[in-house]
Amino acid sequence: MNKYLTQKSNRFWTDFVNNLMANIFFLSAFIAVVSLFLITAYVFYNGAKLFTVIAMPDFLFGFDWEPVNQKLFGILPMIVSSFYVTFGSLLISIPLGIGCAIFLAEIASQPVQRIVRPAVQLLAGIPSVVYGLFGLALVVPLIQQFADVAGLSILAAIIILSIMILPTIISISEDSIRAVPKEVKESSIALGTTKWQTIFGAVLPASTSGIITAVVLALGRAFGEAMAVKMVIGNTQTMPSFSPESLFGLLSLARTLTTNIIGDIEYAEAGPHQDALFATGAILFIFIIVTNAISYMFRRRIHEIR
Amino acid sequence: MNQFKSSIFKSFQLSVLILLLSSLCSFAKDNVITVAGSTTILPVSEKWAKVFKNKTGVIVNVHGGGSTGGIKATRLGTADIGASSRELSEGEKKSLKEIVIGKDALAVIVNKSNPIESITIDDLRKIFAGGIKNWKELNGEDKPIQVVNRESGSGTRDLFVDAVMKAELADKTQKIIPMALTSIVNNSNAEVKESVKLIPSSIGYVSVGFTDETVKILKVNSVSPTNENILSGDYPLVRNLYYLVKNGVTSNKKISKFISYILSREGQELILEEGFFPSTN
């Protein structure tokens, strides 16, 4: 009887603690979802206020940003520059990143892997200000030496960003290359192919969706990076000049969506100027949501394949 | 009935609490001066406030809000003192009194490698409006000019616009020439200095306190921004910094004490430390 009672009270406490912990964890999840909702609502609400002052097309397709004296809120140059910088950096970091991933997964010996992998992870942990500083101190003067220009440029931003997004591409691609079933590789080799033919003909095609996920996530990171880009791009509020003299825009000064926000927010007074910055944030937000949705879709497909 | 009683008791408690708090507030107010306005002056005001509190025990609360905000707050009485980096309009002068607390000057800077030594206000305006695009037009090297500007809304930029970008029209009225948008835009004095240091063909402007030997300071209308030239008024890119009080308020002891501290030698030395200039010699 006595034994039964203690057991019962033990049971009571376990249940109590279990319920409590479950509630605490639910609360954490709830807070995460609610903050996402609040931030989204706040950014979009404040951004929408702008369109009581100017028309949406003037904002999205306007060429000039002069919010204080001339009340011009065109962000087209920034949209163009954001895409230019993002895709430019992907162009460099996709081949480099996939190459490094293949090296780590298929070629490197254990000791080499033990050096390279932590190095890549460390690269991901460097604060973006430090990347910006590196760009300002090294990349910009280098560009100045090759061409008689300011040096602060889209090219500098592309170079810095391509280094910054490398770790994302490398680690996710490596995982998906490793996840390719042994049978795929072995049957390819059994057909008498060389190692290179196996990698390019069998392993890479089998890990395509993982690599695409890696690229999409990297794209999101490049698009959303602000600090490092701001330090090396010059923050000029005009459309980059796509003339051959400026290497089709590469040597142009520019301003991206993110640098527009951190450049102006300190001095923006409440009213259309501040609302326009929120609207810029909303555009960024929409783009990030789209890229995340795409990468989510691809990740689901990988799981389905496995 | 019981409930009713307790609600009366509660409201009584509440009113006592409110009375207590409000008496506390009014007690506190005797010992507080509120300063609001220009963000340029903010750091200096804070320093003055700190020293003044140590000396007299009077707490000086310093707020930002911009020059216009400070002027409004002083007129409405929500601030005792307004800080402004612009002159009062005629209408504002009717109810407020200006006290010059110091001076701020802009230096026009170029890269060390640039052979140019001096520039006129007219040429400066043409450069920043995008009319002059190459240094050779000013007898310099054959290099495209890279303008480094501040973001719109900055007080330093306002001063530059006021002093440089106004052109006189035929009918003697003034018109502000819009600045070209092709400039590099930085958001602090320090950043502008770094850009000019880095880019050989660049030109920018910063508060004189921020210049050092890494950049070249140009003479403006052949006057260099030395302490003497700024104080004598010969250097053109200078503005006064003001404290504003309501007319007649100077009879208030703690406010007049604070202002006389600021204008004292000790107070004016503090403003020099912050990179501004004293109001008098």
Side-chain angles (χ1 to χ4, degrees):
Chain A
M1 184 70 196
N2 208 359
K3 201 180 167 192
Y4 173 75
L5 257 180
T6 43
Q7 249 179 5
K8 199 180 176 187
S9 79
N10 266 346
R11 183 107 173 258
F12 171 78
W13 281 110
T14 348
D15 280 355
F16 177 77
V17 170
N18 271 342
N19 275 331
L20 185 76
M21 291 319 283
N23 281 328
I24 287 173
F25 292 144
F26 170 75
L27 198 71
S28 322
F30 183 73
I31 287 171
V33 174
V34 164
S35 1
L36 175 70
F37 175 76
L38 279 180
I39 291 170
T40 315
Y42 189 75
V43 168
F44 279 83
Y45 170 74
N46 280 294
K49 280 197 287 190
L50 176 72
F51 302 117
T52 58
V53 185
I54 66 156
M56 178 100 74
D58 289 344
F59 175 67
L60 287 178
F61 305 116
F63 271 79
D64 293 311
W65 174 268
E66 225 308 339
V68 176
N69 296 321
Q70 300 174 48
K71 306 282 172 220
L72 293 170
F73 299 97
I75 62 162
L76 186 64
M78 301 160 205
I79 297 177
V80 171
S81 314
S82 272
F83 277 97
Y84 197 152
V85 167
T86 306
F87 286 101
S89 58
L90 283 177
L91 224 57
I92 297 177
S93 60
I94 289 175
L96 267 180
I98 295 180
C100 182
I102 294 172
F103 175 76
L104 278 175
E106 299 286 330
I107 298 161
S109 61
Q110 280 292 337
V112 175
Q113 281 186 34
R114 242 175 270 144
I115 296 169
V116 177
R117 198 167 298 120
V120 170
Q121 280 160 0
L122 205 65
L123 207 59
I126 296 175
S128 56
V129 186
V130 178
Y131 278 104
L133 220 56
F134 168 75
L136 209 54
L138 218 78
V139 179
V140 170
L142 211 67
I143 295 172
Q144 277 178 357
Q145 287 201 335
F146 283 111
D148 193 15
V149 287
L152 301 170
S153 57
I154 287 184
L155 180 63
I158 286 177
I159 292 172
I160 291 303
L161 272 180
S162 57
I163 304 171
M164 287 182 77
I165 62 179
L166 259 183
T168 315
I169 296 187
I170 293 171
S171 50
I172 300 176
S173 304
E174 193 204 339
D175 284 346
S176 71
I177 291 171
R178 279 186 191 282
V180 172
K182 236 184 181 172
E183 297 80 30
V184 175
K185 253 184 277 176
E186 281 165 357
S187 22
S188 169
I189 290 169
L191 288 172
T193 59
T194 62
K195 190 162 193 180
W196 296 113
Q197 285 167 329
T198 304
I199 289 172
F200 284 103
V203 176
L204 279 187
S207 50
T208 312
S209 45
I211 291 173
I212 290 176
T213 310
V215 170
V216 173
L217 280 178
L219 191 153
R221 171 140 202 231
F223 203 80
E225 177 52 44
M227 200 59 217
V229 177
K230 184 186 167 253
M231 289 169 82
V232 298
I233 205 167
N235 241 4
T236 302
Q237 55 232 65
T238 46
M239 185 66 90
S241 100
F242 293 106
S243 62
E245 299 95 74
S246 67
L247 283 182
F248 306 101
L250 280 178
L251 298 179
S252 270
L253 295 153
R255 179 185 286 211
T256 65
L257 292 168
T258 47
T259 60
N260 187 41
I261 297 175
I262 48 170
D264 273 31
I265 196 68
E266 265 179 80
Y267 293 93
E269 283 176 24
H273 191 184
Q274 211 178 66
D275 298 339
L277 295 181
F278 273 107
T280 312
I283 302 290
L284 259 172
F285 211 2
I286 291 170
F287 188 81
I288 298 294
I289 289 170
V290 170
T291 41
N292 271 27
I294 294 172
S295 82
Y296 183 72
M297 262 163 45
F298 275 106
R299 253 179 293 173
R300 279 235 324 243
R301 263 186 51 190
I302 302 171
H303 286 296
E304 276 162 21
I305 289 166
R306 279 178 204 162
Chain B
M1 190 63 209
N2 223 354
Q3 234 175 359
F4 180 67
K5 244 187 196 166
S6 78
S7 76
I8 286 183
F9 184 65
K10 263 186 190 161
S11 58
F12 174 73
Q13 267 186 325
L14 207 72
S15 51
V16 168
L17 204 75
I18 288 170
L19 267 172
L20 249 165
L21 273 175
S22 55
S23 63
L24 255 174
C25 279
S26 63
F27 168 73
K29 227 186 160 187
D30 285 342
N31 219 14
V32 169
I33 303 175
T34 316
V35 181
S38 163
T39 47
T40 312
I41 308 173
L42 193 77
V44 193
S45 293
E46 274 169 351
K47 269 205 164 169
W48 280 329
K50 210 171 152 192
V51 178
F52 192 65
K53 192 195 160 195
N54 287 341
K55 282 189 149 186
T56 60
V58 174
I59 298 162
V60 184
N61 281 329
V62 184
H63 305 279
S67 298
T68 307
I71 293 166
K72 252 188 209 161
T74 318
R75 275 169 91 180
L76 292 172
T78 42
D80 300 311
I81 300 175
S84 170
S85 52
R86 68 164 173 86
E87 264 181 77
L88 291 178
S89 67
E90 285 307 313
E92 287 162 349
K93 270 183 187 159
K94 277 176 194 157
S95 56
L96 297 176
K97 190 180 148 199
E98 288 175 337
I99 299 147
V100 179
I101 54 158
K103 284 174 181 168
D104 184 16
L106 283 191
V108 177
I109 53 173
V110 292
N111 191 271
K112 278 235 144 174
S113 68
N114 197 323
I116 287 199
E117 298 286 343
S118 180
I119 198 162
T120 64
I121 294 263
D122 271 343
D123 288 340
L124 259 184
R125 184 188 313 124
K126 283 175 192 153
I127 289 174
F128 275 80
I132 296 181
K133 290 197 161 96
N134 197 305
W135 284 111
K136 76 177 174 203
E137 291 171 62
L138 300 170
N139 301 323
E141 291 170 288
D142 182 10
K143 268 187 177 171
I145 297 175
Q146 180 59 60
V147 173
V148 183
N149 210 341
R150 292 290 299 278
E151 69 304 299
S152 9
S154 135
T156 314
R157 177 170 167 151
D158 288 347
L159 164 55
F160 189 83
V161 168
D162 275 352
V164 176
M165 301 311 286
K166 276 183 184 158
E168 208 158 290
L169 298 177
D171 60 351
K172 295 274 170 172
T173 55
Q174 288 190 324
K175 183 188 165 218
I176 290 176
I177 310 290
M179 288 182 173
L181 300 178
T182 47
S183 55
I184 289 173
V185 181
N186 286 150
N187 37 1
S188 66
N189 282 302
E191 252 183 85
V192 171
K193 194 190 77 192
E194 285 304 309
S195 293
V196 170
K197 188 173 111 186
L198 186 73
I199 303 164
S201 59
S202 60
I203 182 167
Y205 55 86
V206 292
S207 208
V208 166
F210 284 88
T211 55
D212 55 29
E213 71 292 341
T214 60
V215 290
K216 187 178 192 173
I217 302 170
L218 292 186
K219 289 178 187 167
V220 179
N221 290 348
S222 348
V223 183
S224 45
T226 57
N227 287 8
E228 301 91 65
N229 289 338
I230 289 165
L231 292 170
S232 68
D234 289 340
Y235 187 71
L237 304 181
V238 179
R239 65 173 161 183
N240 283 335
L241 303 173
Y242 300 99
Y243 265 10
L244 316 162
V245 288
K246 259 190 182 168
N247 280 334
V249 131
T250 27
S251 54
N252 182 318
K253 236 184 178 176
K254 62 182 186 217
I255 294 176
S256 58
K257 230 178 169 182
F258 183 53
I259 285 171
S260 59
Y261 157 70
I262 281 167
L263 299 177
S264 72
R265 196 184 171 84
E266 198 192 334
Q268 293 293 302
E269 266 163 16
L270 264 178
I271 205 171
L272 257 175
E273 272 174 36
E274 288 290 306
F276 300 112
F277 294 88
S279 55
T280 53
N281 299 332

